[in-house]
Amino acid sequence: MQIKKIGILSAGGDCPGINAVIHAVVKKAILDHNLEVIGFLDGFQGMVEKRWRKLEYNDVSGIMPLGGTILGTSNKANPFRYPVWENKELHFEDRSEQVIETYQETGIDALICIGGDGTFHIAQRFFEKGLNVIGVPKTIDNDLNGTDLTFGFDSAVSVATEAIDRIHTTAQSHHRAMVIEVMGRYAGWIALESGIAGGGDVILIPEIPFDMEGVCRFLQKRIAAGKRFSIVVVAEGARPKGGDYVIQKKVVESHDQIRLGGISYLVGQEIEARTGIETRVVILGHLQRGGSPTAFDRILATRFGAEAVKLAVQGKFGYFPALIGQEIQPMPIKEAIASLKTVPLDHPLLDVARSMGTYLGD
Ligand SMILES: Nc1ncnc2c1ncn2[C@@H]1O[C@H](COP(=O)(O)OP(=O)(O)OP(=O)(O)O)[C@@H](O)[C@H]1O
Ligand SMILES: O=P(O)(O)OC[C@H]1O[C@](O)(CO)[C@@H](O)[C@@H]1O
Ligand SMILES: [Mg+2]
C-alpha cells in the first residue's frame, strides 16, 4: 500500500522534544515521500472533537528548540473512557468511534502518536481496531519499556541537575540540608541520574522504600565528618518504609488519578525534628517539563520522528522506533506497555551512586 497522507498527535504530559519530533516527521514526510501531513490538536481530544490543522513545511520552521508542543496535548482525553461533564457531574463515554470516523474522514493512511505509556495503551487499542498506528516514545520519566531511552528525559535530568548545582551553593553557604524533589511517580530515573550528576548525598527513589532514621543518621555522620551541608534528592514517588505516597491532588478524569508532590516536606520536617539540622525544601515540579530540549533530546527526537515516517511508509503499523544501544529499531507498541520500566535493584547506576558515598535510603 502506498501511503499519501499521515496524521500526527501528541498526547499525555508535554515534554521538551515533542516539537523536534513534529519537525522531523513533517520534513521527512514532505521531502522524502511527498506526503500530506495533518496535526490533530490536543492529543486524542482533537480526534474526538474533529480539530486538526494541515502541517506544511514552513509551519515547522524554527520549532525544533521550542518546549511544549505546537499541537497541544491532553492527559485526560482517553477516547475509550472519555470524560464528559454534565451539570457538574462527571461520567465517562466511549468515543472511540468518533476517532475512527475522524481518521476516515480526514483520509489519513497512518497516525503517528507521540506519547508515553498511557498514550501507547490507547494507540494499541486503535491498532487492534484496524487503524494504522505508529508510536513515538515520549516521557521525561523514562519509564517506557522496550526502549533504552525516551526523549524528554535528558532535558529533565539537565534541568534537575542545574537546579541541584544552584541549590548546592546556598546549602554550602548556610550549612543547611536541602531537600530537592524531582518528578517520577513510580520510576526513579530522574532522581537517580540528576542525583548522581548533581552530587546528591542522599537519593531516594520509589523503587527503594527509605529508612528515615537511616537518612538522619547519614546526615549526622556527614556533620561529624566536617561536612556542614547536605543535598537530599527525592523522587515525588519515594516512600518511607511501610509508608505511602504523598498525594497532592486527584484528577478525577485521569486514568491514574493521583498527582504526587510533597514527600520532600515530610523528609525535610523529619530531618529537622530528629537531627536539629536546619533544612529547606524545593519542589522542581513542572519546571522539569518545560523549556528547550537538550541537543541530545533534539537528536533523539529527530531520529525517532524520521524513523516513524519510515515505519509508516513501510507499513510497519503497531510499532514504534526504539533506541536499543546506539541503534533505532522497530519495536511492537505492545512491548512498551507490557510493564513499566522502573529502576532495577541491580542497576549499575545504584552501585555507582553507592561508590560515591551516596546513601540510597535502604
Ligand atoms: N493503562 C492505561 N490504559 C488505558 N488508557 C490509559 C492508561 N494509562 C493512561 N491512560 C490514558 O492515556 C492518556 C495519557 O496518559 P498519561 O497522562 O499517563 O500520559 P502518557 O502518554 O503516559 O505520557 P506521560 O506519562 O509521560 O505524561 C490519558 O488520557 C490516560 O487517561
Ligand atoms: O501534568 P500533571 O497532570 O501534573 O502530571 C504530572 C506527572 O506527569 C509526569 O510529569 C510525566 O508522566 C510525571 O512525572 C508527573 O507525576
Ligand atoms: Mg503515563
Side-chain angles (χ1 to χ4, degrees):
M1 170 186 138
Q2 197 177 351
I3 66 165
K4 295 197 179 70
K5 188 173 182 180
I6 58 172
I8 182 167
L9 60 79
S10 49
D14 71 338
C15 80
I18 297 179
N19 284 327
V21 175
I22 298 169
H23 175 262
V25 165
V26 172
K27 284 205 165 175
K28 185 173 171 73
I30 294 173
L31 290 180
D32 286 358
H33 304 287
N34 201 23
L35 301 178
E36 210 182 307
V37 188
I38 60 168
F40 294 100
L41 306 180
D42 303 334
F44 286 102
Q45 197 179 338
M47 290 200 81
V48 169
E49 295 173 355
K50 303 191 193 301
R51 291 188 290 118
W52 67 83
R53 58 181 267 213
K54 193 161 184 226
L55 291 171
E56 309 273 13
Y57 190 88
N58 285 341
D59 292 324
V60 297
S61 288
I63 68 166
M64 164 103 85
L66 298 183
T69 160
I70 60 162
L71 293 175
T73 187
S74 164
N75 60 5
K76 298 174 200 155
N78 176 357
F80 294 94
R81 199 168 175 271
Y82 201 71
V84 180
W85 286 94
E86 252 167 2
N87 303 325
K88 295 191 179 165
E89 295 267 327
L90 174 69
H91 66 274
F92 294 93
E93 290 174 8
D94 184 351
R95 296 284 183 89
S96 56
E97 278 309 314
Q98 276 168 262
V99 170
I100 294 170
E101 251 172 53
T102 306
Y103 183 100
Q104 286 162 349
E105 275 173 26
T106 51
I108 55 173
D109 302 299
L111 174 66
I112 294 177
C113 301
I114 309 169
D117 60 329
T119 304
F120 275 24
H121 265 101
I122 297 169
Q124 176 65 19
R125 286 187 74 178
F126 281 117
F127 172 63
E128 285 164 10
K129 278 179 168 277
L131 300 195
N132 294 338
V133 169
I134 303 285
V136 175
K138 158 231 78 109
T139 170
I140 62 163
D141 298 341
N142 196 35
D143 58 0
L144 210 51
N145 236 329
T147 181
D148 290 352
L149 284 175
T150 51
F151 75 85
F153 173 65
D154 185 67
S155 302
V157 169
S158 299
V159 170
T161 302
E162 200 204 324
I164 297 169
D165 285 349
R166 287 174 184 274
I167 285 163
H168 238 118
T169 59
T170 164
Q172 209 158 11
S173 309
H174 285 271
H175 320 299
R176 284 173 174 160
M178 297 292 287
V179 185
I180 302 131
E181 181 174 317
V182 298
M183 279 184 165
R185 265 190 267 200
Y186 309 114
W189 296 108
I190 297 176
L192 181 59
E193 293 216 357
S194 65
I196 292 174
D201 304 300
V202 176
I203 301 174
L204 306 175
I205 60 174
E207 294 84 347
I208 306 178
F210 63 86
D211 173 10
M212 197 61 237
E213 200 48 49
V215 172
C216 293
R217 260 200 316 274
F218 183 83
L219 297 189
Q220 276 166 325
K221 259 197 239 157
R222 273 181 58 82
I223 290 180
K227 309 276 186 193
R228 296 179 64 200
F229 72 95
S230 289
I231 301 290
V232 179
V233 180
V234 55
E236 61 181 355
R239 287 166 294 166
K241 280 182 183 159
D244 217 338
Y245 296 116
V246 175
I247 297 172
Q248 198 192 52
K249 66 188 292 188
K250 285 200 174 179
V251 179
V252 287
E253 301 103 316
S254 265
H255 176 83
D256 187 355
Q257 296 187 349
I258 60 167
R259 293 296 181 276
L260 302 177
I263 181 66
S264 51
Y265 281 105
L266 202 128
V267 170
Q269 279 157 12
E270 290 294 319
I271 291 172
E272 222 167 43
R274 295 187 197 201
T275 67
I277 301 170
E278 188 178 28
T279 306
R280 294 289 187 272
V281 168
V282 180
I283 299 182
L284 297 186
H286 292 79
L287 258 182
Q288 296 157 95
R289 288 220 319 240
S292 199
T294 57
F296 180 89
D297 271 342
R298 293 180 201 194
I299 293 164
L300 185 59
T302 301
R303 291 177 79 189
F304 280 160
E307 191 67 18
V309 173
K310 202 163 140 196
L311 293 177
V313 169
Q314 290 170 343
K316 218 162 163 49
F317 304 121
Y319 279 74
F320 72 99
L323 182 74
I324 308 292
Q326 300 296 316
E327 305 283 315
I328 305 284
Q329 290 177 17
M331 187 66 65
I333 292 175
K334 231 179 171 170
E335 195 70 31
I337 54 178
S339 62
L340 212 60
K341 189 181 71 186
T342 53
V343 178
L345 293 180
D346 59 353
H347 195 277
L349 277 183
L350 296 174
D351 279 344
V352 168
R354 287 192 180 100
S355 304
M356 299 299 111
T358 300
Y359 178 59
L360 299 178
D362 45 355

